[in-house]
Amino acid sequence: MNKDYEYYKNKKVNSLQEILELSIKNGKDDIAFFYNGKDDNIIYKTYYEFYNDVTSLKKYFYKKFKNKHICIIGNNSYDWLVIYLGIVLSGNVAVIIDKDLKEEQIYKMLDKTNTKTIFYSRYCKSIFENNQNKYDKYKIEDIPLYIDEVKEIKTNINLDVNKVCTIFFTSGTTGFNKAVMLSHKNIADNIYGATSLFKLDGNSLSVLPFHHAFGLIIGIFGPFFWHKSVFINESLKNLMADIKISKPQTLIVVPVFVENFYKVILSNAKKNRKKKLLKRIIKISNLSLKMNIDLRSKLFASIISEFGGNLQYIICGGAYLDVKYVKWFRSIGIEVLNGYGITECSPVIAVNRNNYKKDGSVGQVIKGGKVKIVDNEILFKGNSVMLGYYKDTEATDKVLKKGWFYTGDYGYLDDDNFL
């Protein structure tokens, strides 16, 4: 089936707090996250455990900090997520920075956003050794100590969903990285709008770094909103092993991953002297599909098993993806759903759907959002559009005009409303 159909129905939400509370109602004992622990033991966290951990950290941040900008910097981890929600649900602002940037650039971002408090993972210890007195520093891994401080404290926090809760940085391709201010409403609206287009029915694996809006908002909170389990990949060197462990139905990645998966499959076929055989089988598969006969699960079982055995979808965004990869992966039974977004729009603007897609497009516009084309430029309007760039009115005014965000990207909407 490849035809238009209604949006998937979800509950409208206005904040990450509402999404957290909804997760408990949908099944508190279901697995929210799982990941590698010490000695390669798999650690499982239920929605209820996550809720309790976040609630405790929220009390800690509410007690210790008031309306502060708090940096979180480190590798992807369960603890990182708990710290992040603790910050934003306590009324403070999370300033998210890439741990792999040069120290000079990190300090510049901290200064730009007036951030003096830092929560960092043990991998980032060396970054701050030369600035012992300038920042208040805390270790992400010390969560149990923070929770012990506030066990008996009760809080009643009234969140303003329209105020900034998170600052992401742009990639800096057109100058120094801009500090993008997103509110709870921005983020929640984007999760609602994107999940109205795509439905997740199984596990997913989180591989993109959390300092990217795509990696955190869509890679983590999209599946969380669908109440599905997310495996947290903490290191790319373990990616293929983690895929086999987690058996994901869906991967959410950028194009370089799709291209590398393609190269690895062909490389393995060549190494096993089966490259010509693979090409022949793909031809047979494509001919069979034209006759409405789907043999892919049998013909390519050995390839799919390398991806855990359940992989159906790869959601891809963040850069251009050649349509040849979309068609090739479809031939072996994996749909690559290309999408499009930008940090300033929280981040998704459009994505191809489970059962309605168009090769060469980046899909249809999310529910609640509007796109129009002016002089070939893509403009977007909706509750997902950022509040602005932090302390940069001039840059904000250049891209935000009468509620429309000027993306700087060229495109068009076709007759079927594909972008």
Side-chain angles (χ1 to χ4, degrees):
M1 182 181 94
N2 189 37
K3 60 182 181 181
D4 198 5
Y5 58 101
E6 291 184 359
Y7 287 112
Y8 296 113
K9 293 181 179 178
N10 295 317
K11 182 177 174 59
K12 191 76 172 70
V13 286
N14 289 304
S15 72
L16 289 166
Q17 180 67 48
E18 287 184 29
I19 291 175
L20 187 65
E21 291 171 358
L22 187 63
S23 73
I24 301 300
K25 294 178 183 177
N26 288 338
K28 63 178 185 152
D29 295 324
D30 297 328
I31 301 300
F33 301 105
F34 58 127
Y35 52 93
N36 287 315
K38 293 181 180 178
D39 302 320
D40 290 328
N41 291 323
I42 305 301
I43 296 175
Y44 296 88
K45 295 288 185 177
T46 65
Y47 280 89
Y48 188 63
E49 289 173 314
F50 184 63
Y51 178 89
N52 281 340
D53 287 343
V54 169
T55 300
S56 296
L57 261 294
K58 178 175 71 172
K59 290 194 291 184
Y60 170 80
F61 281 105
Y62 185 72
K63 174 195 173 188
K64 198 170 183 72
F65 308 100
K66 292 290 188 292
N67 299 314
K68 292 286 187 181
H69 285 191
I70 302 172
C71 171
I72 178 167
I73 182 168
N75 59 303
N76 287 8
S77 69
Y78 174 82
D79 290 345
W80 193 106
L81 293 174
V82 175
I83 293 284
Y84 167 73
L85 281 182
I87 294 170
V88 301
L89 297 185
S90 62
N92 291 289
V93 177
V95 178
I96 303 176
I97 295 180
D98 179 1
K99 66 178 176 60
D100 294 321
L101 294 173
K102 293 179 180 179
E103 289 183 28
E104 180 185 355
Q105 196 169 9
I106 290 172
Y107 294 139
K108 203 171 178 181
M109 289 175 166
L110 292 170
D111 291 342
K112 182 182 179 74
T113 54
N114 298 328
T115 304
K116 303 297 182 184
T117 304
I118 301 165
F119 280 77
Y120 66 95
S121 70
R122 58 183 179 272
Y123 303 104
C124 302
K125 182 180 178 182
S126 62
I127 296 174
F128 306 108
E129 285 179 345
N130 297 326
N131 288 270
Q132 291 293 333
N133 301 318
K134 189 172 183 180
Y135 305 103
D136 293 324
K137 300 181 291 294
Y138 304 84
K139 292 180 182 177
I140 290 174
E141 292 83 5
D142 284 344
I143 279 180
L145 301 179
Y146 310 141
I147 290 176
D148 283 341
E149 282 191 37
V150 292
K151 275 186 175 177
E152 307 304 320
I153 292 177
K154 293 183 179 180
T155 56
N156 184 22
I157 302 168
N158 294 315
L159 286 176
D160 184 343
V161 300
N162 295 303
K163 286 180 65 177
V164 58
C165 74
T166 306
I167 293 177
F168 286 100
F169 284 91
T170 60
S171 60
T173 52
T174 57
F176 183 70
N177 313 66
K178 297 183 182 72
V180 177
M181 298 186 293
L182 299 182
S183 67
H184 277 281
K185 192 169 185 177
N186 290 151
I187 294 170
D189 187 79
N190 202 258
I191 293 167
Y192 169 77
T195 55
S196 296
L197 283 176
F198 176 80
K199 184 176 182 181
L200 184 65
D201 289 318
N203 293 350
S204 69
L205 181 140
S206 166
V207 60
L208 297 178
F210 295 162
H211 65 261
H212 281 301
F214 187 38
L216 180 61
I217 297 172
I218 301 305
I220 290 293
F221 293 117
F224 190 86
F225 189 55
W226 273 119
H227 204 76
K228 301 300 177 184
S229 303
V230 180
F231 188 96
I232 301 171
N233 168 256
E234 296 188 8
S235 173
L236 286 179
K237 67 181 182 181
N238 300 326
L239 177 57
M240 293 312 296
D242 286 352
I243 286 176
K244 286 187 177 181
I245 292 168
S246 59
K247 305 181 187 304
Q249 181 219 17
T250 300
L251 292 175
I252 298 171
V253 298
V254 291
V256 67
F257 285 89
V258 176
E259 294 161 6
N260 285 339
F261 291 151
Y262 172 81
K263 290 174 184 176
V264 168
I265 293 169
L266 291 188
S267 176
N268 288 339
K270 184 178 181 180
K271 186 167 61 178
N272 296 319
R273 298 181 179 180
K274 292 182 177 179
K275 192 171 181 179
K276 289 183 179 179
L277 176 62
L278 178 59
K279 285 184 177 180
R280 285 201 298 269
I281 295 175
I282 285 175
K283 285 184 179 180
I284 293 169
S285 173
N286 289 336
L287 284 171
S288 300
L289 286 172
K290 288 179 180 180
M291 295 183 286
N292 293 319
I293 301 171
D294 191 349
L295 304 172
R296 292 174 296 179
S297 61
K298 294 181 179 179
L299 292 175
F300 305 103
S302 62
I303 293 176
I304 302 301
S305 68
E306 292 297 308
F307 291 88
N310 296 322
L311 189 60
Q312 288 180 265
Y313 300 107
I314 297 176
I315 297 177
C316 187
Y320 171 74
L321 178 70
D322 195 308
V323 73
K324 79 172 186 180
Y325 296 109
V326 177
K327 293 179 177 179
W328 191 90
F329 276 96
R330 181 180 298 135
S331 296
I332 67 169
I334 300 171
E335 282 291 346
V336 178
L337 302 177
N338 207 13
Y340 165 68
I342 192 166
T343 305
E344 289 90 336
C345 295
S346 302
V348 178
I349 289 176
V351 67
N352 278 282
R353 308 193 63 190
N354 300 65
N355 299 308
Y356 191 40
K357 45 208 168 274
K358 185 172 286 190
D359 294 348
S361 82
V362 291
Q364 297 193 305
V365 179
I366 64 169
K367 188 174 184 178
K370 295 179 181 178
V371 161
K372 70 176 179 179
I373 310 299
V374 176
D375 297 328
N376 296 320
E377 184 180 0
I378 300 168
L379 277 58
F380 180 78
K381 191 175 191 177
N383 288 328
S384 296
V385 174
M386 68 169 180
L387 302 177
Y389 298 119
Y390 185 72
K391 287 194 172 179
D392 197 340
T393 304
E394 184 180 349
T396 300
D397 290 343
K398 284 182 180 179
V399 296
L400 272 179
K401 300 172 185 178
K402 296 182 179 179
W404 290 95
F405 176 75
Y406 286 64
T407 66
D409 295 319
Y410 288 167
Y412 67 94
L413 285 165
D414 71 9
D415 292 339
D416 298 315
N417 274 324
F418 281 87
L419 183 62

